[in-house]
Amino acid sequence: MAQNLSEQELQRREKLDRLRALGVEPYPAAEFKVDCSAEDILKNYESNKTLYKAVSFAGRIMRRRMQGKAAFVEMQDVSARIQVYFNRDEICPGDDKTMYNEVFKKLIDTGDIIGVKGYVFTTQVGEITIHANEFVLLTKSVKPLPQPKVDAEGKEYDSFTDPEQRYRQRYVDLNVNPEIRETFVQRTQLVNTMRSYLSEKGYLEVETPILQPIYGGAAARPFKTHHNTLDMTLYLRIANELYLKKLIVGGFDGVFEFAKDFRNEGMSRFHNPEFTQMELYVAYKDYNWMMDMVEEMVEKIALVLHGDTKVQVGENEINFARPWKRYTMFEAIEEYTGIDISEMNESQLRSTAEKLNVPVDATMGKGKLIDEIFGEKCEGLLIQPTFITDYPVEMSPLAKKHREKEGLVERFECICNGKEICNAYSELNDPIDQRKRFEEQLELGKRGDDEAMVLDEDFLRSIEYGMPPTAGLGIGIDRLAMIMTNSSSIQDVLFFPQMKPEKRGPELGENEKLIYEIVKKECKIELGLLKAQVDLSNKKWDKAIKGLANQGLTKVNKTDQGLFIELVG
RNA sequence: GAUCUGGUAGCUCAGUUGGUAGAGCAUCUCCCUUUUAAGGAGAGGGUCCAGGGUUCGAGCCCCUGCCAGAUCACCA
C-alpha cells in the first residue's frame, strides 16, 4: 500500500530529484573525515585559537536562520550543538552561485546531515561559530524533525514531549532532546563501573542460557516458547541463579553475569517484560560479606557518575555513603507498625495483617504474610539505602537457614527510594534441605501460588556433589539506573521500552473488509453481483467501495460487459 | 486486570448550545551579508485515533474498540 505522505514529506522527496539534477548525490558513499567535535571547539577554541584555523566537522542541521546572502545554521553532533556561518560568496567564489542559492538555501533542510570545512571564529554577538568555506550533503532527511526552541528566559516552545512518540521513536527523541542521551551514557557508566569493580576482584564474567527447559531461580511467571527441531518447550529465563551456582559447584570461586531476564507479568513504571539484572556468586563468603560489598560497589557507582555519594532523586536526596542502615525484617516492621510479629504463628499473622489493612488471601503462607506486611507498611517508606535482613524461610527457598534464628534465612534486600534494588543470600548448599524446600514450593503451587518455584533435578544433582558456602546477589540494573539518573519511569532508562504495536495507517472497516475478502477471492467481480452478495444499505455500500478505492486496494473498471471491481497490485 | 485523563496540520496546542476546522512554530514563494525562540510580505498544508449510532447537520453528544500516560493491583 502506498505511504500517505504529508506535504512536507513530498516536498523533500522532490528535492532528492532536484539535487541529483544538479549533480548533488543526497546519499553519498564516500567517507567524510571529521577532525573535531562541537564540544571540543566550544571548550577549547578560546584558549588556543590557532588549532582551529582549518576544521572539518559533520552533524545534523537542527535550525537554520537565513539572512539573504548569509545564513546561520545550528548543527548538532554527538557532543553538542554549534553554530555554522555560511556566506554566499565564500561557498561560491566564482560567478556560479548555484551551490548557495539553490542547493544550500532551497534544497537543504533542517534534519539533513552535512559536513562542513572552514575555520572557527567568534561572531559580533560573541558566539563561537564555524565559518564554512565549503559544505557537502551527507544525508538528506525526508521526514521533518520537530523543532523545539528555547527563548532567553529558558521557556520552551514546541518541545517534543509526548511519551508515546518519545518511546516509539527514540531516534527522534535522542536528536530533539539531546539531554536524554546523558541518561543512557550514565546507564552504561553504571554497568561499566560495576563490571570493572567485579573483574578487578578477580570474578569471572560468564554467559548462561536464556532459553531454559526449566525456569528457576526466582518466583515469577515465564514466557514460554518452542524449539522446533528438539520439539520441546523452552522458557525465557526469569533468572540465571541456578546456572551460576552450578558454575560455583564446577570450581569457579566468583562468577557474575549481566543478564537480560524475562517475566511475563504486569507492566508499570517499574516493570518492563524484559529487564537487566546483575547476578554475582562468590564462594566462601556469606551474606554479611555481601552487604559490605554492595555498599562499597554502589557507593563507588554514585561517585563515578556524580562525583558525590549524594544523588537527587525526585524530592529526595539519597546518600549512598557507607555504612547503610541495617534492619532485620522484624525490626523494620516493628519500627513502622509498632507491632512485634517475630513470635506469631500463621493465624496471628493473618489477623495482624487484616488489622493493618494489608490485603491477604487463603493461598498465603506464613512467609508470604510477613512479606506482605513488610511490603505494604515499610518498603515505600525506606528512602535512604537500607538493608533488610533475615527473611522468613517460606519465601526464600534458595537461601540458607539462619545460623542462629529459627524459621529465618540468611537473606537481605537493599531498599532504596522505596523500592527493592537488590536481593542476596547465603546460598543454600545443603542438598537434602534444598530438595525439601523445593517440595514445599510444590505444595504452595498446589495451594494456588502461581509463582511457586519448580523443582530442578539437575540443580539438585549439582549441589549433591558439593557447593562451597557461597554468597549470592541479584541487583536490578534498571532500578539502580532509575535512581542514579533521577528517572521516574523504567521507560526512561530503556532505549526501547516494550510497547504495543502502533497501527500502520487506518484499518479496514467491517464492511470494507467484507467486500475486500470477496474481491480477493474472485480477483475480479461484477459490481451488481458483488452488491447482491454483501447485502449492505446503499449508503454503507457506497462508503465501503469508495473507501477501498481511496486506500488503493481496489479499482472499478467500466467495460462493454459492465462495471467490474478488481484488486490493485 | 481496574479507575481516571488524553488522541485535532510535521511539532506544541485552541476549538463556544451541535452549524463552512483555527493559532504559533515548521513548510513553500519573494526581499534581506555577523543573527540569537520570534526580520518583512504572501501562500499552501487536515482520514479531527477507528467503527457504529443520534441528528437536517457531529471534532463536539451516545455506544464499541484501538493506542498512550497517570494511579492502583501483581511483580523486580
Side-chain angles (χ1 to χ4, degrees):
Chain A
M1 195 180 0
Q3 268 177 290
N4 278 330
L5 296 175
S6 69
E7 184 190 34
Q8 293 192 43
E9 288 172 309
L10 289 169
Q11 283 165 351
R12 290 193 178 206
R13 277 167 173 73
E14 281 163 22
K15 289 179 183 184
L16 295 176
D17 297 334
R18 290 162 66 191
L19 282 163
R20 288 192 172 111
L22 290 169
V24 177
E25 169 54 42
Y27 302 101
E31 174 187 14
F32 182 83
K33 283 201 162 52
V34 172
D35 61 17
C36 60
S37 74
E39 190 182 29
D40 168 30
I41 293 171
L42 295 172
K43 263 194 188 155
N44 303 317
Y45 169 69
E46 288 296 351
S47 56
N48 194 347
K49 297 190 176 177
T50 54
L51 272 181
Y52 300 94
K53 295 283 188 208
V55 297
S56 181
F57 175 80
R60 192 187 288 274
I61 297 174
M62 301 308 286
R63 184 95 56 85
R64 307 206 305 157
R65 286 187 286 274
M66 308 306 289
Q67 181 121 11
K69 299 182 186 68
F72 294 89
V73 168
E74 280 178 32
M75 284 179 64
Q76 177 171 285
D77 72 359
V78 69
S79 65
R81 262 188 209 199
I82 189 163
Q83 177 168 273
V84 181
Y85 174 72
F86 285 76
N87 180 302
R88 187 187 68 184
D89 297 325
E90 309 253 356
I91 298 291
C92 307
D95 288 339
D96 180 4
K97 304 299 183 190
T98 310
M99 246 341 238
Y100 184 85
N101 286 340
E102 288 300 312
V103 177
F104 175 71
K105 273 176 79 172
K106 295 193 177 165
L107 303 178
I108 300 286
D109 288 296
T110 307
D112 291 355
I113 296 165
I114 63 172
V116 296
K117 289 182 182 170
Y119 61 90
V120 181
F121 75 113
T122 306
T123 63
Q124 288 178 2
V125 260
E127 179 151 349
I128 296 171
T129 301
I130 300 173
H131 185 121
N133 298 120
E134 50 181 297
F135 76 94
V136 51
L137 176 59
L138 298 175
T139 298
K140 180 75 194 154
S141 163
V142 294
K143 221 171 171 56
L145 278 176
Q147 293 191 51
K149 296 181 194 62
V150 182
D151 70 12
E153 284 96 52
K155 197 176 163 203
E156 271 198 64
Y157 299 81
D158 301 342
S159 15
F160 184 67
T161 50
D162 176 18
E164 177 169 2
Q165 292 196 72
R166 290 187 47 223
Y167 300 146
R168 285 193 197 280
Q169 302 187 57
R170 186 66 91 180
Y171 35 88
V172 174
D173 192 28
L174 288 163
N175 271 305
V176 167
N177 302 317
E179 64 283 355
I180 69 145
R181 292 177 182 175
E182 186 55 27
T183 295
F184 293 97
V185 170
Q186 287 190 332
R187 181 184 169 121
T188 298
Q189 283 174 340
L190 183 164
V191 169
N192 288 346
T193 304
M194 196 177 276
R195 174 174 281 128
S196 57
Y197 175 91
L198 296 170
S199 297
E200 278 162 22
K201 286 188 178 289
Y203 308 140
L204 185 70
E205 182 169 6
V206 299
E207 292 179 274
T208 62
I210 292 171
L211 289 173
Q212 303 180 348
I214 295 176
Y215 59 96
R221 291 202 301 274
F223 286 92
K224 194 174 176 180
T225 185
H226 183 261
H227 189 279
N228 290 340
T229 306
L230 295 175
D231 189 23
M232 68 185 285
T233 297
L234 287 169
Y235 300 93
L236 271 59
R237 70 178 167 201
I238 57 172
N240 55 353
E241 169 154 358
L242 303 185
Y243 284 93
L244 292 179
K245 285 200 271 203
K246 290 175 197 176
L247 295 178
I248 296 293
V249 172
F252 292 108
D253 60 2
V255 289
F256 67 97
E257 179 175 12
F258 287 91
K260 259 289 174 72
D261 289 338
F262 305 83
R263 297 190 184 174
N264 203 344
E265 288 169 343
M267 290 168 64
S268 74
R269 68 194 183 91
F270 292 103
H271 301 89
N272 196 61
E274 55 183 291
F275 67 104
T276 305
Q277 207 176 180
M278 196 289 294
E279 291 202 35
L280 166 72
Y281 294 83
V282 183
Y284 312 118
K285 307 295 188 190
D286 65 5
Y287 78 141
N288 292 314
W289 174 88
M290 188 64 90
M291 269 187 270
D292 295 340
M293 201 223 69
V294 167
E295 270 181 352
E296 187 178 282
M297 183 171 71
V298 175
E299 183 192 63
K300 185 169 178 186
I301 289 166
L303 284 167
V304 168
L305 266 57
H306 300 285
D308 196 338
T309 59
K310 298 193 188 81
V311 179
Q312 190 68 35
V313 183
E315 304 285 289
N316 303 316
E317 184 184 80
I318 294 178
N319 191 346
F320 289 99
R322 287 179 287 166
W324 300 350
K325 251 190 290 178
R326 297 182 187 192
Y327 285 125
T328 68
M329 185 173 253
F330 290 140
E331 283 167 0
I333 290 171
E334 190 167 357
E335 169 93 17
Y336 286 97
T337 67
I339 302 172
D340 178 6
I341 61 166
S342 58
E343 305 297 327
M344 290 185 181
N345 63 27
E346 185 170 327
S347 67
Q348 289 171 310
L349 284 168
R350 179 161 284 122
S351 63
T352 303
E354 278 161 2
K355 207 160 57 190
L356 291 168
N357 288 322
V358 176
V360 294
D361 66 61
T363 70
M364 290 178 180
K366 193 174 161 188
K368 189 90 179 161
L369 287 166
I370 295 170
D371 190 43
E372 285 296 316
I373 294 170
F374 174 78
E376 203 70 21
K377 293 292 159 192
C378 308
E379 192 168 356
L381 303 171
L382 295 167
I383 301 304
Q384 296 304 320
T386 305
F387 289 114
I388 303 297
T389 63
D390 300 347
Y391 282 60
V393 61
E394 294 88 340
M395 48 186 292
S396 313
L398 300 166
K400 186 175 279 195
K401 280 190 176 139
H402 198 280
R403 63 193 79 180
E404 289 157 2
K405 300 172 191 164
E406 186 66 27
L408 300 182
V409 291
E410 298 204 350
R411 169 179 179 179
F412 72 83
E413 289 189 358
C414 172
I415 314 291
C416 182
N417 206 35
K419 280 280 166 187
E420 174 191 342
I421 57 170
C422 74
N423 183 15
Y425 338 119
S426 299
E427 299 296 333
L428 177 55
N429 62 345
D430 173 344
I432 312 302
D433 190 12
Q434 183 67 80
R435 181 174 293 275
K436 209 175 105 214
R437 302 271 200 98
F438 274 138
E439 280 162 0
E440 283 162 8
Q441 287 291 306
L442 294 180
E443 281 306 306
L444 280 180
K446 283 181 197 153
R447 276 172 77 168
D449 185 345
D450 56 2
E451 292 159 1
M453 289 190 196
V454 198
L455 190 141
D456 185 334
E457 281 294 349
D458 181 60
F459 172 66
L460 283 171
R461 179 169 61 187
S462 75
I463 63 171
E464 282 166 6
Y465 285 104
M467 180 172 81
T470 296
L473 167 75
I475 183 161
I477 297 298
D478 313 282
R479 292 274 174 87
L480 189 58
M482 284 171 68
I483 291 169
M484 289 292 175
T485 62
N486 190 13
S487 301
S488 59
S489 166
I490 196 169
Q491 296 171 111
D492 293 325
V493 299
L494 299 169
F495 276 126
F496 304 105
Q498 196 59 245
M499 305 278 266
K500 284 203 181 182
E502 57 188 323
K503 269 192 278 181
R504 311 199 104 257
E507 282 188 347
L508 296 182
E510 281 306 310
N511 299 331
E512 290 171 350
K513 251 186 242 169
L514 181 67
I515 294 172
Y516 187 60
E517 284 307 312
I518 297 172
V519 178
K520 216 158 65 177
K521 229 183 306 173
E522 305 283 335
C523 284
K524 185 173 175 186
I525 183 167
E526 203 272 322
L527 268 184
L529 218 64
L530 177 62
K531 186 169 181 226
Q533 275 191 45
V534 294
D535 187 33
L536 291 173
S537 71
N538 283 334
K539 189 176 169 183
K540 286 179 177 172
W541 161 256
D542 187 65
K543 198 177 173 190
I545 288 292
K546 283 179 178 160
L548 284 168
N550 278 340
Q551 289 173 53
L553 291 171
T554 60
K555 196 169 62 181
V556 177
N557 275 335
K558 193 173 179 182
T559 70
D560 294 343
Q561 283 81 38
L563 286 168
F564 287 90
I565 182 164
E566 57 187 283
L567 282 183
V568 173

